[in-house]
Each structure stands twice: as C-alpha cells, then as structure tokens.
Amino acid sequence: MKHGDRLVGTSRVIVAAARVANRVFLGGVVLGFALSLVFAGPLGTWVGQTEPGGDVVTGVMGVRLLLLVGVAMGVATDRLLSALRAVVETARSGDPFVAVNARRLQTIGWCLLVQQLLDAPVWLAARLFPALKTETPGLDVSAGGWLAVLMVFVLSRVFAAGTVMRDELAGTV
C-alpha cells in the first residue's frame, strides 16, 4: 500500500463487514419470502390480526412485494460491494488505474441506480397495501443518491480514459 494506506485498510475492513451483513440480510429476506409461501395461512392470519376487517389477500401480497424488493436490494448491494472490494484491492496493491476498475465503477453505478429505483415499489406497496399498516411515505427522492449515481458513472468514464492515456504513454516511452 502506498499513500493513504490507513484509508484503504479501513475501507477494506468496512467493505468486508458490509458484505457479511448484507449477505445475512439477503439470506433472511430470501428465507422470509420462502416462508411466506410455505406458511401462507399463518401469514394471512397475522395480516388479518393487524387490520381486522382488512383485505388479507392484498396484505399478504404487499408483504411478499416488500420481501421481493428486499431481495433485489440485497442482490444489487452484494454486486456493488463485490465490485467495490475489488477496486479497494487494486488501490491496496498500489495500481488502481486499470481498465477493469472502469468496468467495476460502471457496475457500482448500475447497482446504485437500481437502489434508487427500488424506492418506487416500496412507496407503491405502502400506498396499495394498507393492511401492512405502514405509514405511507412520500416518494422519497434522494438528491444525494441520484448525484452519487451520476458521479460514479462519470468516474467510470474518467478511469477508462485515464487508463487508455496511461497505456498510450507507456507505449511511447
């Protein structure tokens, strides 16, 4: 590791811990979805108890929709953290400006975009399935999140161009 080794080392630990936590979350959500299919009766009873007289069928569908959104979020986060881990490892080795990191940053950008777009089905579930007894939030548009998506896609292009320039320079020396 060169300059910034503490930052890279700390990032490495944080990303590793986040990957473990996300995989535990993802496993729990997948298990929850599977259990919602296997134990549809008890789930319907629970939904019926949370809103007596409510539409149990739509409540169960709402729970399952939220679980599927959780699966999509977990998968996108896993892909993002895997790409980030690989970028951190190249920084740790002292040579982060490689062509593959441009592709990794693009993967991170797509994953961030998916995460931003998954706010919409959560908002819809809260609106369409009142049996879930969730407070209906507004469609929360995160300006910072959308700027992060844009920034990572731009950085991907910067890495790609920088790698080409570095390779051309190395060829002329």
CSV table of all heavy atoms in Angstrom, one decimal, residues 105-106 108-110 112-113 116 142-158:
chain,number,residue,atom,x,y,z
A,105,LEU,N,-16.5,0.3,-11.7
A,105,LEU,CA,-17.2,1.5,-11.3
A,105,LEU,C,-18.5,1.6,-12.1
A,105,LEU,O,-19.5,2.1,-11.5
A,105,LEU,CB,-16.3,2.8,-11.6
A,105,LEU,CG,-15.2,3.0,-10.6
A,105,LEU,CD1,-14.2,4.1,-11.1
A,105,LEU,CD2,-15.8,3.4,-9.2
A,106,GLN,N,-18.5,1.2,-13.3
A,106,GLN,CA,-19.8,1.1,-14.0
A,106,GLN,C,-20.8,0.2,-13.4
A,106,GLN,O,-22.0,0.5,-13.2
A,106,GLN,CB,-19.5,0.7,-15.5
A,106,GLN,CG,-20.7,1.0,-16.4
A,106,GLN,CD,-20.3,0.8,-17.8
A,106,GLN,OE1,-19.6,-0.1,-18.2
A,106,GLN,NE2,-20.9,1.7,-18.7
A,108,ILE,N,-20.8,-0.6,-10.2
A,108,ILE,CA,-21.3,0.2,-9.0
A,108,ILE,C,-22.3,1.2,-9.3
A,108,ILE,O,-23.4,1.3,-8.6
A,108,ILE,CB,-20.1,0.8,-8.3
A,108,ILE,CG1,-19.2,-0.3,-7.7
A,108,ILE,CG2,-20.5,1.8,-7.2
A,108,ILE,CD1,-17.8,0.2,-7.2
A,109,GLY,N,-22.1,1.9,-10.4
A,109,GLY,CA,-23.1,2.9,-10.9
A,109,GLY,C,-24.5,2.3,-11.2
A,109,GLY,O,-25.5,2.8,-10.7
A,110,TRP,N,-24.5,1.1,-11.9
A,110,TRP,CA,-25.8,0.5,-12.2
A,110,TRP,C,-26.4,0.0,-10.9
A,110,TRP,O,-27.7,0.0,-10.7
A,110,TRP,CB,-25.5,-0.7,-13.1
A,110,TRP,CG,-25.3,-0.2,-14.5
A,110,TRP,CD1,-24.2,-0.3,-15.3
A,110,TRP,CD2,-26.3,0.4,-15.4
A,110,TRP,NE1,-24.4,0.2,-16.5
A,110,TRP,CE2,-25.7,0.7,-16.6
A,110,TRP,CE3,-27.6,0.8,-15.2
A,110,TRP,CZ2,-26.4,1.3,-17.7
A,110,TRP,CZ3,-28.3,1.4,-16.3
A,110,TRP,CH2,-27.7,1.7,-17.5
A,112,LEU,N,-26.1,1.3,-7.9
A,112,LEU,CA,-26.7,2.5,-7.2
A,112,LEU,C,-28.0,2.9,-7.9
A,112,LEU,O,-28.9,3.3,-7.2
A,112,LEU,CB,-25.7,3.6,-7.2
A,112,LEU,CG,-24.4,3.4,-6.3
A,112,LEU,CD1,-23.4,4.5,-6.5
A,112,LEU,CD2,-24.9,3.4,-4.8
A,113,LEU,N,-28.0,2.8,-9.2
A,113,LEU,CA,-29.2,3.2,-9.9
A,113,LEU,C,-30.4,2.3,-9.5
A,113,LEU,O,-31.5,2.7,-9.3
A,113,LEU,CB,-29.0,3.2,-11.4
A,113,LEU,CG,-30.2,3.5,-12.3
A,113,LEU,CD1,-30.7,4.9,-12.1
A,113,LEU,CD2,-29.8,3.3,-13.8
A,116,GLN,N,-31.7,3.2,-6.2
A,116,GLN,CA,-32.6,4.4,-6.2
A,116,GLN,C,-33.9,4.1,-6.8
A,116,GLN,O,-34.9,4.6,-6.3
A,116,GLN,CB,-31.9,5.5,-7.1
A,116,GLN,CG,-30.7,6.1,-6.5
A,116,GLN,CD,-31.0,6.8,-5.2
A,116,GLN,OE1,-31.8,7.7,-5.1
A,116,GLN,NE2,-30.3,6.4,-4.2
A,142,SER,N,-34.0,11.0,-3.3
A,142,SER,CA,-32.7,11.4,-2.7
A,142,SER,C,-31.8,12.1,-3.7
A,142,SER,O,-31.3,11.4,-4.6
A,142,SER,CB,-32.0,10.2,-2.1
A,142,SER,OG,-30.7,10.5,-1.7
A,143,ALA,N,-31.7,13.4,-3.6
A,143,ALA,CA,-30.8,14.1,-4.5
A,143,ALA,C,-29.4,13.6,-4.4
A,143,ALA,O,-28.7,13.4,-5.4
A,143,ALA,CB,-30.9,15.6,-4.2
A,144,GLY,N,-29.0,13.4,-3.2
A,144,GLY,CA,-27.6,12.8,-3.0
A,144,GLY,C,-27.4,11.5,-3.6
A,144,GLY,O,-26.4,11.2,-4.2
A,145,GLY,N,-28.4,10.6,-3.5
A,145,GLY,CA,-28.3,9.3,-4.1
A,145,GLY,C,-28.2,9.4,-5.6
A,145,GLY,O,-27.5,8.7,-6.3
A,146,TRP,N,-29.1,10.3,-6.2
A,146,TRP,CA,-29.0,10.4,-7.7
A,146,TRP,C,-27.7,11.1,-8.1
A,146,TRP,O,-27.2,10.7,-9.2
A,146,TRP,CB,-30.2,11.2,-8.2
A,146,TRP,CG,-31.5,10.4,-8.2
A,146,TRP,CD1,-32.5,10.4,-7.2
A,146,TRP,CD2,-31.8,9.3,-9.1
A,146,TRP,NE1,-33.4,9.5,-7.5
A,146,TRP,CE2,-33.0,8.8,-8.6
A,146,TRP,CE3,-31.2,8.8,-10.2
A,146,TRP,CZ2,-33.7,7.7,-9.3
A,146,TRP,CZ3,-31.8,7.7,-10.8
A,146,TRP,CH2,-33.0,7.2,-10.4
A,147,LEU,N,-27.2,12.0,-7.3
A,147,LEU,CA,-25.9,12.6,-7.7
A,147,LEU,C,-24.8,11.5,-7.6
A,147,LEU,O,-23.8,11.5,-8.4
A,147,LEU,CB,-25.6,13.8,-6.8
A,147,LEU,CG,-26.3,15.1,-7.1
A,147,LEU,CD1,-26.1,16.1,-6.0
A,147,LEU,CD2,-25.9,15.6,-8.5
A,148,ALA,N,-24.9,10.6,-6.6
A,148,ALA,CA,-23.9,9.6,-6.5
A,148,ALA,C,-23.9,8.7,-7.7
A,148,ALA,O,-22.9,8.2,-8.2
A,148,ALA,CB,-24.1,8.8,-5.2
A,149,VAL,N,-25.1,8.4,-8.2
A,149,VAL,CA,-25.2,7.5,-9.4
A,149,VAL,C,-24.5,8.2,-10.6
A,149,VAL,O,-23.6,7.6,-11.2
A,149,VAL,CB,-26.7,7.3,-9.8
A,149,VAL,CG1,-26.8,6.7,-11.2
A,149,VAL,CG2,-27.4,6.4,-8.7
A,150,LEU,N,-24.8,9.5,-10.8
A,150,LEU,CA,-24.1,10.2,-11.8
A,150,LEU,C,-22.6,10.3,-11.6
A,150,LEU,O,-21.9,10.1,-12.6
A,150,LEU,CB,-24.7,11.7,-11.9
A,150,LEU,CG,-24.1,12.6,-12.9
A,150,LEU,CD1,-24.4,12.1,-14.3
A,150,LEU,CD2,-24.8,14.0,-12.8
A,151,MET,N,-22.2,10.6,-10.4
A,151,MET,CA,-20.8,10.7,-10.1
A,151,MET,C,-20.0,9.5,-10.4
A,151,MET,O,-18.9,9.5,-11.0
A,151,MET,CB,-20.6,11.1,-8.7
A,151,MET,CG,-19.1,11.2,-8.2
A,151,MET,SD,-18.9,11.5,-6.5
A,151,MET,CE,-19.5,10.0,-5.8
A,152,VAL,N,-20.6,8.3,-10.1
A,152,VAL,CA,-19.9,7.0,-10.3
A,152,VAL,C,-19.8,6.7,-11.8
A,152,VAL,O,-18.8,6.2,-12.2
A,152,VAL,CB,-20.5,5.9,-9.4
A,152,VAL,CG1,-20.0,4.6,-9.8
A,152,VAL,CG2,-20.3,6.2,-8.0
A,153,PHE,N,-20.8,7.0,-12.5
A,153,PHE,CA,-20.8,6.8,-14.0
A,153,PHE,C,-19.7,7.7,-14.6
A,153,PHE,O,-19.0,7.2,-15.5
A,153,PHE,CB,-22.1,7.0,-14.6
A,153,PHE,CG,-23.0,5.8,-14.5
A,153,PHE,CD1,-24.3,5.9,-13.9
A,153,PHE,CD2,-22.6,4.5,-15.0
A,153,PHE,CE1,-25.1,4.8,-13.9
A,153,PHE,CE2,-23.5,3.4,-15.0
A,153,PHE,CZ,-24.7,3.5,-14.4
A,154,VAL,N,-19.7,8.9,-14.2
A,154,VAL,CA,-18.6,9.8,-14.7
A,154,VAL,C,-17.2,9.4,-14.3
A,154,VAL,O,-16.3,9.3,-15.1
A,154,VAL,CB,-18.9,11.3,-14.2
A,154,VAL,CG1,-17.7,12.2,-14.5
A,154,VAL,CG2,-20.1,11.9,-14.8
A,155,LEU,N,-17.0,8.9,-13.1
A,155,LEU,CA,-15.7,8.4,-12.6
A,155,LEU,C,-15.4,7.2,-13.4
A,155,LEU,O,-14.2,7.0,-13.7
A,155,LEU,CB,-15.7,8.1,-11.1
A,155,LEU,CG,-15.6,9.3,-10.2
A,155,LEU,CD1,-15.8,8.8,-8.8
A,155,LEU,CD2,-14.3,10.0,-10.4
A,156,SER,N,-16.3,6.4,-13.8
A,156,SER,CA,-16.1,5.2,-14.6
A,156,SER,C,-15.5,5.6,-16.0
A,156,SER,O,-14.5,5.1,-16.4
A,156,SER,CB,-17.3,4.4,-14.9
A,156,SER,OG,-17.2,3.4,-15.8
A,157,ARG,N,-16.0,6.7,-16.6
A,157,ARG,CA,-15.5,7.2,-17.8
A,157,ARG,C,-14.1,7.8,-17.6
A,157,ARG,O,-13.2,7.6,-18.5
A,157,ARG,CB,-16.5,8.2,-18.4
A,157,ARG,CG,-17.8,7.7,-18.7
A,157,ARG,CD,-17.8,6.8,-20.0
A,157,ARG,NE,-19.0,6.0,-20.1
A,157,ARG,CZ,-20.1,6.4,-20.7
A,157,ARG,NH1,-20.2,7.5,-21.2
A,157,ARG,NH2,-21.1,5.5,-20.7
A,158,VAL,N,-13.9,8.5,-16.5
A,158,VAL,CA,-12.6,9.1,-16.2
A,158,VAL,C,-11.6,8.0,-16.1
A,158,VAL,O,-10.5,8.1,-16.7
A,158,VAL,CB,-12.7,10.0,-15.0
A,158,VAL,CG1,-11.3,10.4,-14.5
A,158,VAL,CG2,-13.5,11.2,-15.2
